Amino acid sequence: MSALIDALRQRLPAERVITDELRRLAYGTDGSFYRLIPEVVAVVNDETEVCDVTRIARDNGRPVTFRAAGTSLCGQAVTDGVLVLLGEGLATCAIGAGGTTVQVGPAIVGAEVNRRLAPLGRKIGPDPASINAAKIGGIAANNSSGMCCGTAQNSYNTLAAIRVMLADGTVLDTGEAASVTAFKASHGGLLDSLGGLAARVRADHALASRIRAKYKIKNTTGYSLNALVDYTDPVDILAHLMIGSEGTLGFISRVTYHTVPEYAHKASALAFFPDMESACRAVVGLKQRPVDAVELLDRASLRCVADKPGMPPLLKTLPDGVTALLIETRAPSATELDARIGSVLAELGAYPLIEAPAFTTDPAEIERLWNVRKGTFPAVGAVRKPGTTVIIEDVAVAVPLLAAACLDLQRLFAKHGYHEAIIFGHALEGNVHFVFTQDFGIESEVARYAAFMDELCTVLVGKYDASLKAEHGTGRNMAPFVELEWGSQAYGLMKEIKQLFDPAGLLNPGVIINDDPAAHLKHLKPMPAAGQLYAPVDRCIECGFCEPQCPSHGLTLSPRQRIVGWRELSRREANGEAPGQLGEDYLYMGLDTCATCGLCSTACPVGIETGALTRAVRGEQLSGVARSLGRVAANHFGATQALARSALKAGHLAEAIVGLRALARLTGGAWKEGMPKPQALRYDITRSSGDKVVYFPTCAGRMFGADTPEHALSATVIRVLERAGYAPIVPEGVNSLCCGQSFASKGLAEDADRKSAELEAALMKASNNGEYPVILDASACSLRMKTFLAERLKVYDLVEFAHDALLPRLMLHKKAEPVLVHLNCSARRMGFEAKLKQLATACADKVVLPAEVKCCGFGGDRGFVVPELNTHALRKLHADVPAGCCGGYSSNQTCEIGLTNATGLPYRSIVHLLDECSAEAARLATC
C-alpha cells in the first residue's frame, strides 16, 4: 500500500477510498474522448474532507482533479493522480426568499435544483443539454450554458456569491463578510496581485476592448478574463475567475445564484429556409425580437432524423441546402405570448421560406418539434461503426458571420472526409455544434483528426475571431489552441493567473494551460467493439446521462461504467488476455448489483438499455446445470411456485422462533421486515354479468399473500373489478403460467420467451382472441408482455386500466391521511407517472411521490440476493415520508416488499387504495 493511499484511508472510511482496477477504470472515463486512470478515487462528503484529501495529495506530490457528474466533453474530469469524487453530502440546496436566489452545493444535479424552484416559477440561468445529469460543480466550473441562457444568464452573469477553497486549503465565502475580512488578512498578497492584473488590463485599452468583445458571444476558452474588466474589487475578480476555471484554480464548494423566471406559457415553431445564408440572416433579425431560443439545423442534421418516429413528414422531401430554425418564445401570460408570437411571425415574413411557419402551444406538439433538435446528436451516434467515437465540438462567432462560418465548416468536413458531419446549435448566440465520428484506434485516423483540428482552429480564429469553445469548457481538447485564439498577451495573463492560484501545479494540471501542442492527441480513449452479446452497447458514447436513473450508481457501477468495464473485458478477450481481478470484480459490481430496471434507456441519448447487456452476460455465464434447472423450473412452474410458497411459510416459522433480526442476519438480509405470508391460490369470482375482462394474476401475487385471504392482491383486484361492473375471467391453468420476466432477468432468454408464448396463447383464448381487455397486476410483467406481444394482443397494466376504465366507474371517498406513491421502474418506462398520481389523488388529498427515488433496486430477486442494492436505491426515501402517513402504494409486489422494509410502512398495490376508498364510499352511500 502506498503512503498516499494509507493516509487517505486513515482520513476517510475505507469504502470511500477506491483502489480496485475496475472502478478506477470506470472513473477514468468522463463524457469526453480522453482517458486517464486515477491512482485512487477519494469520495468526499464535505469541505473539510476536500481540504484534507487535497493536503494529503500535496504532501505526497500527487495532482488533484475534482469530479462532479463527469459529463464534461473536453477531458477536464479525468486524471492519473487523485480523483476527488463529490459525494452526496455536498448535494445541498437552500432556496432564498421568493426563490430569487438559490444556494447550492457542487454535487447536486442542475435539474434537481430547477425541480425545487419550479413551484416558485423560477430556475437557474445555466441550461446545458446535460442538466438532467450534470451537477452544479461542473456547471459552474465550466461556465456551461445551453439553448436559452445565452451569455446573460450563464453562471458568470447570475453569480450572487461563491464559496471556494484554494490549493492551500484556505476558504473564501464571498457571501459572508467575516470570511471576506479574514481572507483579506491572510491572502492580501493574492488579492493585491489580482487587483494589479486588472488595473494593468484596464490601462491597456486595446487589450481591454478585445476582452470585452470576446465575451459579447459565448466563450469558455481559457480563464474568464472578463473578470479583469468587469470588476475592480479583487474579491469579485477572484469569484468570477473561479467560474469557468475547470478545477484548476480551486474547489467550488458552494454557489449562490440569482435565479431567472420560468414562464409557463410557451410556443414553438419550425421554420424552413431555402439555404444557410437566408436562415442566418433571419437569426440576425430574430435576435431583436422576443425569442427565447433559436436552434439552427442544417440539411444533414434534418436528414439524419427524418426517419425517426414522430418526425414531421416534410423532413423526408426537403431539397438539398435547406436549413431550419426551431424557434421558441415564452411569456408570463397567454395574452403576452400571443403578442410575442405575432412579433416573431412579422420578422419571419421578411425572409424566403419553404412554407409558412406555424407556432404551437400544445405541449405534445412542442415536444415533437424539439425532438427534431434533440434527436440529431444521437442519430449520428447510433449509426457509427463499432470502435469509433462521436465527437461534438462547439464554437461561436458573431451572429452576422454565422452563415459564412457554417459554410466554411461544411467545406472543412468535405475536405477532411467527415461526410457524416452535421451542424446544429444555438443560432441566437452564434453558437453552433458540429458532430462527426472518429476512430482513434488507427494512427492514420488520428493524423486526419489532427489535421482537421489545426485547419479548423486556424480558419475560425483567422477569419471570424471565433470562440473555439463556446460552452463546453477548454479541458485538454482545446488547451493547445488557447494561445492561438487569445494571442500571446492574453494567454500570458492566464498563465499568471494559474501561477497566482496554484504555483505548485497541484490542481488539474494539463487542463486550460498546457504548453504541449499535441496534448489534444494524447490519452485518447479506446472504444473497443463490445457488442457481441448486445449490439447496442457499441453505440454508447459514455456521456453519463444514464447515471442519475440507476439504483446502483454510487454503490458499485452505473450503466456507463458497466459498459466501460465490459468494453475492457471484451478488449482483453479479443487480445487473448486474462480478465484478471477486474473480471472477478465485474461479477459483483457489473452483474450481481445491476437491477436490470432499464431506466438507463429512458435517459440515454442513443437508447441503450444496459440491463439487456447484463441479462445477456448472465445468460452467457450460466453453467449447463443452471440452464437445466431453469428449464425444469419453466416446465414445472406450478410446482416451482409451490416450493417457493413452502419456503416462505418456513421463513415465517423461523422468524417466530429466532426473531426477525436474527433471521435477517442469518439470511444475509434476504429475510425482511414485513415479509408477506404465502398466498392461498383462490380466485373467488362472484359476478358473471357485466363487461368481460381477462385478469391474469402474476407470479409474485400468486406467491406472496396477505394477513387475510380477502386482502390478497388477486382477491382485491377481482373485488374492485366487480365493484366497477366488470365480470373478471381468470385464464385456465393460471398457476402454471408466467410472463417470463423472472427467467429473462437471469439470462434464460429461451425459457423466458417460451413462458411468454404460453401466456400469450392462454390470454388469447381467455380474451376470445382479444375481444375482451386483458389486465396484468404487476407493472414489470405488463411491460414484458407489452414488449413481447407488440401489437398482436392489447394488454393493460393495472395502473393503466384502473386510471382509464375503473376511475370513471367507481365512487371514491378520500382518505384523510397522506399517502406515499412509488412509481416503479416499469411503470415509469411505460409513461404512467401521471396516471398513478391521478389515481392516488382521487383517493387522498395529499399524495407524495418522492422525486429523488427512481428504481427501488429490488429488481425481482435482487433485493433478496443483494439487499444492499435495495437499501442504497431507497436511501433518499425517508426524508420524503410525510407526517401521519400510514402506508404507501405501487404496482409491483416485490418492490413493495423492499419499500416496506425500508420505511417500516406497509406498501401495497395501488388497487388496495382504490378498494379501501370505493368500499368506504359505498358504505357511506348506504348510511
Side-chain angles (χ1 to χ4, degrees):
M1 184 187 302
S2 72
L4 168 68
I5 293 170
D6 183 52
L8 289 172
R9 285 181 173 160
Q10 289 181 31
R11 176 60 184 86
L12 299 174
E15 66 271 15
R16 290 202 272 125
V17 180
I18 298 171
T19 59
D20 59 89
E21 183 185 9
L22 175 57
R23 284 185 292 172
R24 288 193 298 113
L25 171 72
Y27 285 113
T29 295
D30 65 1
S32 74
F33 49 90
Y34 297 97
R35 173 176 290 162
L36 285 165
I37 309 299
E39 184 177 343
V40 62
V41 179
V43 184
V44 294
N45 275 326
D46 59 45
E47 192 178 74
T48 302
E49 289 181 352
V50 177
C51 181
D52 290 345
V53 168
T54 304
R55 173 184 51 78
I56 290 168
R58 182 172 62 247
D59 291 347
N60 285 272
R62 302 300 294 136
V64 171
T65 292
F66 306 113
R67 179 179 173 124
T71 55
S72 300
L73 294 168
C74 300
Q76 54 266 62
V78 293
T79 179
D80 57 4
V82 179
L83 187 67
V84 180
L85 182 64
L86 309 192
E88 290 179 349
L90 289 161
T92 57
C93 180
I95 298 174
T100 56
T101 61
V102 63
Q103 188 180 82
V104 284
I108 191 167
V109 173
E112 174 60 19
V113 179
N114 283 343
R115 184 189 68 81
R116 298 185 191 189
L117 287 167
L120 300 168
R122 310 291 294 182
K123 64 177 180 176
I124 59 172
D127 61 344
S130 59
I131 198 166
N132 289 330
K135 297 179 179 179
I136 290 296
I139 290 172
N142 292 311
N143 198 22
S144 305
S145 54
M147 287 183 279
C148 296
C149 83
T151 56
Q153 295 181 352
N154 62 18
S155 291
Y156 181 95
N157 283 311
T158 58
L159 183 68
I162 193 167
R163 185 177 174 92
V164 298
M165 188 191 77
L166 302 187
D168 64 2
T170 304
V171 172
L172 167 66
D173 190 330
T174 67
E176 293 182 2
S179 176
V180 173
T181 299
F183 189 82
K184 287 179 177 178
S186 64
H187 286 67
L190 172 61
L191 294 176
D192 289 343
S193 296
L194 290 177
L197 273 181
R200 205 169 82 212
V201 169
R202 289 195 301 272
D204 187 333
H205 298 297
L207 178 59
S209 296
R210 172 156 176 73
I211 290 172
R212 291 190 181 97
K214 288 288 287 179
Y215 287 101
K216 287 182 179 178
I217 59 174
K218 289 186 179 183
N219 193 322
T220 61
T221 309
Y223 291 123
S224 299
L225 293 184
N226 44 340
L228 300 176
V229 296
D230 290 343
Y231 299 96
T232 55
D233 186 333
V235 172
D236 290 332
I237 294 170
L238 186 153
H240 288 83
L241 281 172
M242 295 301 297
I243 300 298
S245 62
E246 302 177 31
T248 63
L249 302 183
F251 171 69
I252 298 173
S253 62
R254 196 164 64 207
V255 177
T256 303
Y257 282 113
H258 294 292
T259 61
V260 301
E262 172 66 308
Y263 293 134
H265 299 273
K266 303 175 183 179
S268 293
L270 192 58
F272 297 97
F273 297 81
D275 50 51
M276 180 70 73
E277 185 177 353
S278 57
C280 291
R281 280 195 295 110
V283 172
V284 177
L286 288 170
K287 196 168 177 63
Q288 310 306 316
R289 299 285 185 165
V291 291
D292 290 273
V294 177
E295 294 292 295
L296 179 143
L297 300 101
D298 73 350
R299 184 65 186 96
S301 63
L302 294 169
R303 188 179 293 115
C304 74
V305 298
D307 293 324
K308 302 295 180 184
M311 294 294 113
L314 179 64
L315 298 188
K316 295 182 180 180
T317 59
L318 292 170
D320 289 343
V322 166
T323 302
L325 295 180
L326 178 57
I327 304 163
E328 182 161 293
T329 183
R330 303 173 180 177
S333 69
T335 302
E336 177 62 21
L337 182 65
D338 287 341
R340 294 185 180 189
I341 290 172
S343 175
V344 175
L345 289 174
E347 181 65 38
L348 290 174
Y351 307 96
L353 292 160
I354 298 296
E355 62 177 20
F359 274 91
T360 178
T361 58
D362 176 45
E365 274 298 297
I366 290 174
E367 182 178 11
R368 188 173 74 92
L369 291 178
W370 280 93
N371 282 339
V372 176
R373 162 66 175 85
K374 293 174 182 177
T376 51
F377 176 39
V380 175
V383 298
R384 75 184 195 275
K385 295 178 182 177
T388 63
T389 192
V390 179
I391 295 178
I392 178 169
E393 293 289 359
D394 79 304
V395 300
V397 300
V399 172
L401 303 175
L402 184 59
C406 288
L407 293 172
D408 268 336
L409 286 175
Q410 291 174 335
R411 179 183 59 79
L412 289 171
F413 297 153
K415 178 179 178 180
H416 292 276
Y418 292 109
H419 301 294
E420 77 290 353
I422 63 173
I423 297 174
F424 59 89
H426 321 314
L428 204 61
E429 303 299 330
N431 173 203
V432 292
H433 302 296
F434 50 96
V435 177
F436 57 95
T437 61
Q438 176 68 49
D439 190 337
F440 286 126
I442 301 172
E443 191 173 333
S444 60
E445 283 292 287
V446 176
R448 176 169 73 120
Y449 173 73
F452 171 71
M453 286 296 291
D454 285 344
E455 187 170 2
L456 172 78
C457 294
T458 300
V459 169
L460 288 175
V461 171
K463 289 183 67 174
Y464 304 104
D465 196 17
S467 302
L468 296 177
K469 283 295 180 183
E471 57 182 11
H472 292 169
T474 305
R476 301 173 188 281
N477 180 234
M478 203 53 67
F481 302 98
V482 175
E483 185 172 7
L484 172 67
E485 175 179 333
W486 276 99
S488 58
Q489 186 181 13
Y491 186 62
L493 286 173
M494 294 181 191
K495 297 179 81 169
E496 284 188 65
I497 290 167
K498 173 67 172 175
Q499 183 65 23
L500 284 173
F501 281 86
D502 183 28
L506 174 74
L507 303 179
N508 220 7
V511 169
I512 296 183
I513 302 297
N514 195 321
D515 292 332
D516 182 355
H520 62 303
L521 305 176
K522 296 178 179 177
H523 309 296
L524 298 170
K525 180 167 62 181
M527 299 286 275
Q532 60 272 29
L533 297 179
Y534 177 59
V537 163
D538 285 330
R539 298 202 302 256
C540 179
I541 54 180
E542 299 180 3
C543 63
F545 287 12
C546 55
E547 292 186 340
Q549 307 298 322
C550 179
S552 64
H553 178 45
L555 174 69
T556 51
L557 299 177
S558 69
R560 164 170 65 173
Q561 293 171 331
R562 283 188 170 88
I563 292 175
V564 169
W566 181 246
R567 279 175 164 159
E568 174 60 16
L569 289 171
S570 299
R571 185 198 66 77
R572 292 184 183 187
E573 182 180 24
N575 292 344
E577 302 174 23
Q581 187 61 47
L582 186 147
E584 289 294 315
D585 289 343
Y586 195 84
L587 295 175
Y588 172 72
M589 295 187 193
L591 301 182
D592 291 349
T593 55
C594 178
T596 65
C597 65
L599 286 186
C600 49
S601 66
T602 66
C604 176
V606 291
I608 298 167
E609 184 192 344
T610 312
L613 169 67
T614 297
R615 291 190 291 270
V617 177
R618 285 175 182 168
E620 184 76 6
Q621 296 189 347
L622 286 172
S623 66
V625 172
R627 289 183 181 280
S628 296
L629 289 173
R631 194 168 299 112
V632 169
N635 291 338
H636 304 280
F637 194 72
T640 301
Q641 280 222 303
L643 284 173
R645 285 190 293 272
S646 297
L648 192 58
K649 185 176 181 180
H652 279 283
L653 179 61
E655 180 182 341
I657 297 171
V658 304
L660 173 63
R661 289 186 179 180
L663 186 58
R665 187 169 60 253
L666 288 170
T667 59
W671 190 264
K672 302 180 184 300
E673 181 179 0
M675 283 287 279
K677 302 288 178 61
Q679 163 74 342
L681 299 181
R682 293 169 47 190
Y683 309 104
D684 297 327
I685 296 174
T686 62
R687 186 183 183 115
S688 58
S689 63
D691 296 327
K692 290 182 170 59
V693 60
V694 176
Y695 165 49
F696 174 61
T698 55
C699 308
R702 301 201 307 267
M703 183 167 67
F704 299 118
D707 292 336
T708 57
E710 64 268 20
H711 290 113
L713 176 59
S714 57
T716 305
V717 172
I718 290 170
R719 186 164 56 250
V720 172
L721 286 172
E722 291 182 337
R723 190 174 293 146
Y726 286 96
I729 301 168
V730 174
E732 295 177 7
V734 65
N735 294 330
S736 64
L737 295 173
C738 170
C739 72
Q741 176 67 17
S742 58
F743 295 93
S745 66
K746 294 171 181 60
L748 294 162
E750 292 182 8
D751 293 316
D753 286 347
R754 186 155 49 84
K755 296 305 293 182
S756 296
E758 289 175 6
L759 179 57
E760 177 183 0
L763 295 178
M764 279 289 192
K765 181 178 179 182
S767 68
N768 196 24
N769 291 318
E771 180 181 350
Y772 315 133
V774 177
I775 310 165
L776 283 74
D777 60 19
S779 293
C781 304
S782 302
L783 178 59
R784 163 80 186 176
M785 288 308 293
K786 282 174 179 280
T787 304
F788 180 82
L789 291 167
E791 299 300 321
R792 296 192 300 274
L793 175 66
K794 173 71 174 177
V795 295
Y796 295 88
D797 181 62
L798 182 57
V799 170
E800 179 183 18
F801 190 80
H803 175 274
D804 296 351
L806 298 184
L807 206 54
R809 294 189 178 203
L810 292 172
M811 292 191 302
L812 299 168
H813 178 76
K814 286 193 174 187
K815 294 169 70 77
E817 66 268 18
V819 300
L820 275 167
V821 174
H822 174 67
L823 181 69
N824 62 66
C825 49
S826 298
R828 191 180 295 273
R829 290 178 65 188
M830 290 186 286
F832 292 161
E833 179 174 355
K835 292 180 187 289
L836 184 63
K837 287 172 71 174
Q838 287 166 19
L839 283 172
T841 301
C843 297
D845 286 321
K846 184 175 183 181
V847 176
V848 177
L849 176 63
E852 292 193 83
V853 177
K854 304 294 193 304
C855 172
C856 71
F858 212 91
D861 66 352
R862 295 295 86 190
F864 299 125
V865 179
V866 279
E868 63 271 26
L869 175 61
N870 182 225
T871 301
H872 179 76
L874 295 178
R875 67 197 182 280
K876 297 181 181 179
L877 173 59
H878 310 278
D880 285 330
V881 177
C885 181
C886 298
Y889 301 91
S890 189
S891 56
N892 259 346
Q893 199 148 11
T894 51
C895 299
E896 291 149 19
I897 293 171
L899 290 158
T900 297
N901 181 68
T903 62
L905 297 171
Y907 269 78
R908 295 175 295 166
S909 170
I910 190 69
V911 75
H912 287 282
L913 183 60
L914 288 173
D915 182 39
E916 292 173 21
C917 294
S918 59
E920 179 63 10
R923 186 190 69 79
L924 292 172
T926 60
C927 291

